[in-house]
Amino acid sequence: MARRALGPDRIEGMTYIGWPVPEPQIPAETDPVLAHATRAAVRAFADARKAHDRAALAEKVQMGADGTPTMRLDILVDTAVAESVTENKVNLLSEELGSIDNGSSVTLVVDPVDGTANAAAGVPLSAFAGVVAVDGVAKEALTCWLDTGRCWHAIAGQPTPYRTSGREKLDGAAVSVLRPHGFDENAWLAVARRAARVRILSSSCIEAALVAEGSTDAFADTGSDTHRIMDLAAAMVMLPAAGGAVLDVHGRPLEIDPDLSKRWSGVAAATRELAEELAETIANAIQK
Amino acid sequence: MARRALGPDRIEGMTYIGWPVPEPQIPAETDPVLAHATRAAVRAFADARKAHDRAALAEKVQMGADGTPTMRLDILVDTAVAESVTENKVNLLSEELGSIDNGSSVTLVVDPVDGTANAAAGVPLSAFAGVVAVDGVAKEALTCWLDTGRCWHAIAGQPTPYRTSGREKLDGAAVSVLRPHGFDENAWLAVARRAARVRILSSSCIEAALVAEGSTDAFADTGSDTHRIMDLAAAMVMLPAAGGAVLDVHGRPLEIDPDLSKRWSGVAAATRELAEELAETIANAIQK
């Protein structure tokens, strides 16, 4: 049976995601190695959705370098990224494949599919996020929303064309959060009760980009220590460049580290004041 | 200063939403009056984002027909829809302008901008949702995601090309919810603790469409009675046509009624079994 060019589809009892995957709108000034890896990731993502139904995309096929099970979709995209960095002779630090040393001073820190659960199910909120790090210092970031091709680009120390909202207070803020995990329910509710708007989009990199462009005020892991460095690396470049801040709820330094067992509870906010108020609110509520 | 064609922008200290508003991909078989109203709404939405910054889009400029304050963005889009239905000599039932009687047996039930808070802030999750009702019975629905042009169309009693996930149990389901409102926190947590995935996208019509196409399993108002009939009308056509169900937590009948003070706690789910389990879980937790 022919596939429809557009729209969700169902073939022989298997449910494919039929929506198109547009070309990423990568800004011309993007580092060519980062741009190459991004295009490779988007192509692999589009191919994976053509070749596999929802169940096959979400199937956990191996254990990732970060110690969590890896979905087929992640593997397919991460493999394409690894081929790209090897072709370009730079190193890779990635969620699933871990650290690949190609003998360069440059490392791409990559979340090939941020929001994998969204992407595999068909919820159109997932992103490629990549950072260029030189000798361990993040220099440049690119987040591309896979479902629309929208990209946010930033270079460390240079202002971005987009700016955060500038909000400094939690009361009345628009805050994106991870879902509550049971043990952090108190902290989750402490934030939700004070925020004017609460969202759970399930894509940390898109949520951080929305903070950077001023569409929401903050994004927080309310103390569940879910974030790995590739969930936060793009925000660590993008937020300061757009007027905001990124920090950890418990004050641990955010570092690009090949040890992928490390976790953080990241807070990305429109201002340092709001980031600190969120971190304090969460840390206090967790202690209770 | 010239506006950038693409990407968020900041002009003279005012923050415009610079992302494009694509043409809606309206299926050819759509009722021409509904298609006309949809195109008018999308044009007005695109014009509003060009003419007004975030603060001006979100400014509450009058009291809506549903008894809640109306943002400028809502008024601009609703006015365009009202002109369209009057040109086409059908009636309108809409959130902001209320009931407009043009002496027809056909009424368009319209949420001109579902997820207005998202749309005004720049969070790219908002939709036009319209239903063709004949003598008070919903016959056809169209939901168009304003930020991407994706549309979901359904005709009552006819199967849609997309299907729900078929999930029957809440344990392990992917559930979208409204944010907790304080008084419904118990019910909200009762659902969140049993669901495998929890999302708050803040656009009821997009969330219902994602249930209809099988990308999530359910969407629920956990007892806050926030839903008006235009938040649920499209789902009332689309979900049954795709294999799912829509009902109210407290068993109140879902009816197209010009009395816009009426509220429901809607549940849209992949199956009737899941909808009933969700409604029971919420109703029991609220009573405690």
Side-chain angles (χ1 to χ4, degrees), chain A residues 143-156:
Chain A
T143 296
C144 289
W145 180 6
L146 292 162
D147 307 275
T148 65
R150 286 190 196 182
C151 295
W152 295 264
H153 176 250
I155 295 174

PDB file of all heavy atoms in Angstrom, chain A residues 143-156:
ATOM      1  N   THR A 143      20.440  24.191  18.462  1.00  0.00           N
ATOM      2  CA  THR A 143      19.295  23.323  18.761  1.00  0.00           C
ATOM      3  C   THR A 143      18.346  23.412  17.582  1.00  0.00           C
ATOM      4  O   THR A 143      17.937  24.517  17.205  1.00  0.00           O
ATOM      5  CB  THR A 143      18.584  23.774  20.053  1.00  0.00           C
ATOM      6  OG1 THR A 143      19.492  23.628  21.161  1.00  0.00           O
ATOM      7  CG2 THR A 143      17.344  22.935  20.321  1.00  0.00           C
ATOM      8  N   CYS A 144      18.011  22.269  16.982  1.00  0.00           N
ATOM      9  CA  CYS A 144      17.072  22.258  15.854  1.00  0.00           C
ATOM     10  C   CYS A 144      15.871  21.391  16.198  1.00  0.00           C
ATOM     11  O   CYS A 144      16.012  20.211  16.539  1.00  0.00           O
ATOM     12  CB  CYS A 144      17.735  21.732  14.584  1.00  0.00           C
ATOM     13  SG  CYS A 144      18.927  22.880  13.891  1.00  0.00           S
ATOM     14  N   TRP A 145      14.697  21.982  16.091  1.00  0.00           N
ATOM     15  CA  TRP A 145      13.432  21.297  16.365  1.00  0.00           C
ATOM     16  C   TRP A 145      13.129  20.400  15.162  1.00  0.00           C
ATOM     17  O   TRP A 145      12.851  20.901  14.072  1.00  0.00           O
ATOM     18  CB  TRP A 145      12.354  22.352  16.582  1.00  0.00           C
ATOM     19  CG  TRP A 145      10.983  21.846  16.887  1.00  0.00           C
ATOM     20  CD1 TRP A 145      10.574  20.573  17.111  1.00  0.00           C
ATOM     21  CD2 TRP A 145       9.800  22.648  17.001  1.00  0.00           C
ATOM     22  NE1 TRP A 145       9.226  20.522  17.365  1.00  0.00           N
ATOM     23  CE2 TRP A 145       8.733  21.783  17.299  1.00  0.00           C
ATOM     24  CE3 TRP A 145       9.547  24.024  16.884  1.00  0.00           C
ATOM     25  CZ2 TRP A 145       7.423  22.247  17.476  1.00  0.00           C
ATOM     26  CZ3 TRP A 145       8.254  24.472  17.054  1.00  0.00           C
ATOM     27  CH2 TRP A 145       7.197  23.592  17.353  1.00  0.00           C
ATOM     28  N   LEU A 146      13.198  19.092  15.375  1.00  0.00           N
ATOM     29  CA  LEU A 146      13.152  18.147  14.262  1.00  0.00           C
ATOM     30  C   LEU A 146      11.820  18.181  13.508  1.00  0.00           C
ATOM     31  O   LEU A 146      11.781  17.899  12.310  1.00  0.00           O
ATOM     32  CB  LEU A 146      13.422  16.725  14.785  1.00  0.00           C
ATOM     33  CG  LEU A 146      14.861  16.509  15.288  1.00  0.00           C
ATOM     34  CD1 LEU A 146      14.952  15.280  16.182  1.00  0.00           C
ATOM     35  CD2 LEU A 146      15.824  16.391  14.111  1.00  0.00           C
ATOM     36  N   ASP A 147      10.738  18.514  14.190  1.00  0.00           N
ATOM     37  CA  ASP A 147       9.413  18.454  13.572  1.00  0.00           C
ATOM     38  C   ASP A 147       9.096  19.667  12.713  1.00  0.00           C
ATOM     39  O   ASP A 147       8.113  19.648  11.960  1.00  0.00           O
ATOM     40  CB  ASP A 147       8.355  18.278  14.656  1.00  0.00           C
ATOM     41  CG  ASP A 147       8.692  17.099  15.553  1.00  0.00           C
ATOM     42  OD1 ASP A 147       8.337  15.974  15.204  1.00  0.00           O
ATOM     43  OD2 ASP A 147       9.378  17.303  16.573  1.00  0.00           O
ATOM     44  N   THR A 148       9.866  20.746  12.853  1.00  0.00           N
ATOM     45  CA  THR A 148       9.567  21.967  12.086  1.00  0.00           C
ATOM     46  C   THR A 148      10.774  22.527  11.349  1.00  0.00           C
ATOM     47  O   THR A 148      10.598  23.397  10.486  1.00  0.00           O
ATOM     48  CB  THR A 148       9.049  23.093  13.009  1.00  0.00           C
ATOM     49  OG1 THR A 148      10.093  23.470  13.907  1.00  0.00           O
ATOM     50  CG2 THR A 148       7.823  22.651  13.791  1.00  0.00           C
ATOM     51  N   GLY A 149      11.982  22.109  11.708  1.00  0.00           N
ATOM     52  CA  GLY A 149      13.176  22.686  11.116  1.00  0.00           C
ATOM     53  C   GLY A 149      13.645  23.983  11.769  1.00  0.00           C
ATOM     54  O   GLY A 149      14.690  24.532  11.403  1.00  0.00           O
ATOM     55  N   ARG A 150      12.897  24.516  12.749  1.00  0.00           N
ATOM     56  CA  ARG A 150      13.341  25.726  13.461  1.00  0.00           C
ATOM     57  C   ARG A 150      14.640  25.453  14.199  1.00  0.00           C
ATOM     58  O   ARG A 150      14.758  24.438  14.885  1.00  0.00           O
ATOM     59  CB  ARG A 150      12.315  26.138  14.535  1.00  0.00           C
ATOM     60  CG  ARG A 150      11.079  26.749  14.002  1.00  0.00           C
ATOM     61  CD  ARG A 150      10.273  27.341  15.166  1.00  0.00           C
ATOM     62  NE  ARG A 150       8.913  27.602  14.712  1.00  0.00           N
ATOM     63  CZ  ARG A 150       7.966  28.150  15.449  1.00  0.00           C
ATOM     64  NH1 ARG A 150       8.221  28.481  16.703  1.00  0.00           N
ATOM     65  NH2 ARG A 150       6.759  28.354  14.957  1.00  0.00           N
ATOM     66  N   CYS A 151      15.592  26.368  14.092  1.00  0.00           N
ATOM     67  CA  CYS A 151      16.868  26.208  14.797  1.00  0.00           C
ATOM     68  C   CYS A 151      17.187  27.456  15.612  1.00  0.00           C
ATOM     69  O   CYS A 151      16.855  28.573  15.223  1.00  0.00           O
ATOM     70  CB  CYS A 151      18.003  25.976  13.792  1.00  0.00           C
ATOM     71  SG  CYS A 151      17.868  24.433  12.866  1.00  0.00           S
ATOM     72  N   TRP A 152      17.838  27.236  16.751  1.00  0.00           N
ATOM     73  CA  TRP A 152      18.341  28.324  17.595  1.00  0.00           C
ATOM     74  C   TRP A 152      19.857  28.146  17.680  1.00  0.00           C
ATOM     75  O   TRP A 152      20.342  27.081  18.077  1.00  0.00           O
ATOM     76  CB  TRP A 152      17.735  28.243  18.999  1.00  0.00           C
ATOM     77  CG  TRP A 152      16.258  28.455  19.079  1.00  0.00           C
ATOM     78  CD1 TRP A 152      15.610  29.623  19.377  1.00  0.00           C
ATOM     79  CD2 TRP A 152      15.213  27.473  18.899  1.00  0.00           C
ATOM     80  NE1 TRP A 152      14.241  29.425  19.394  1.00  0.00           N
ATOM     81  CE2 TRP A 152      13.970  28.129  19.091  1.00  0.00           C
ATOM     82  CE3 TRP A 152      15.206  26.102  18.571  1.00  0.00           C
ATOM     83  CZ2 TRP A 152      12.746  27.462  18.996  1.00  0.00           C
ATOM     84  CZ3 TRP A 152      13.997  25.441  18.458  1.00  0.00           C
ATOM     85  CH2 TRP A 152      12.783  26.124  18.678  1.00  0.00           C
ATOM     86  N   HIS A 153      20.592  29.186  17.346  1.00  0.00           N
ATOM     87  CA  HIS A 153      22.054  29.120  17.300  1.00  0.00           C
ATOM     88  C   HIS A 153      22.636  30.173  18.232  1.00  0.00           C
ATOM     89  O   HIS A 153      22.074  31.258  18.393  1.00  0.00           O
ATOM     90  CB  HIS A 153      22.519  29.371  15.854  1.00  0.00           C
ATOM     91  CG  HIS A 153      24.002  29.412  15.702  1.00  0.00           C
ATOM     92  ND1 HIS A 153      24.695  30.573  15.427  1.00  0.00           N
ATOM     93  CD2 HIS A 153      24.930  28.429  15.804  1.00  0.00           C
ATOM     94  CE1 HIS A 153      25.982  30.303  15.353  1.00  0.00           C
ATOM     95  NE2 HIS A 153      26.165  29.013  15.572  1.00  0.00           N
ATOM     96  N   ALA A 154      23.735  29.855  18.886  1.00  0.00           N
ATOM     97  CA  ALA A 154      24.385  30.818  19.779  1.00  0.00           C
ATOM     98  C   ALA A 154      25.872  30.541  19.832  1.00  0.00           C
ATOM     99  O   ALA A 154      26.314  29.393  19.729  1.00  0.00           O
ATOM    100  CB  ALA A 154      23.792  30.723  21.183  1.00  0.00           C
ATOM    101  N   ILE A 155      26.645  31.620  19.965  1.00  0.00           N
ATOM    102  CA  ILE A 155      28.094  31.524  20.160  1.00  0.00           C
ATOM    103  C   ILE A 155      28.403  32.132  21.521  1.00  0.00           C
ATOM    104  O   ILE A 155      27.910  33.228  21.843  1.00  0.00           O
ATOM    105  CB  ILE A 155      28.850  32.262  19.030  1.00  0.00           C
ATOM    106  CG1 ILE A 155      28.581  31.543  17.695  1.00  0.00           C
ATOM    107  CG2 ILE A 155      30.345  32.321  19.316  1.00  0.00           C
ATOM    108  CD1 ILE A 155      29.145  32.239  16.479  1.00  0.00           C
ATOM    109  N   ALA A 156      29.184  31.396  22.324  1.00  0.00           N
ATOM    110  CA  ALA A 156      29.483  31.847  23.687  1.00  0.00           C
ATOM    111  C   ALA A 156      30.096  33.242  23.653  1.00  0.00           C
ATOM    112  O   ALA A 156      30.993  33.513  22.849  1.00  0.00           O
ATOM    113  CB  ALA A 156      30.428  30.860  24.364  1.00  0.00           C
TER     114      ALA A 156
END
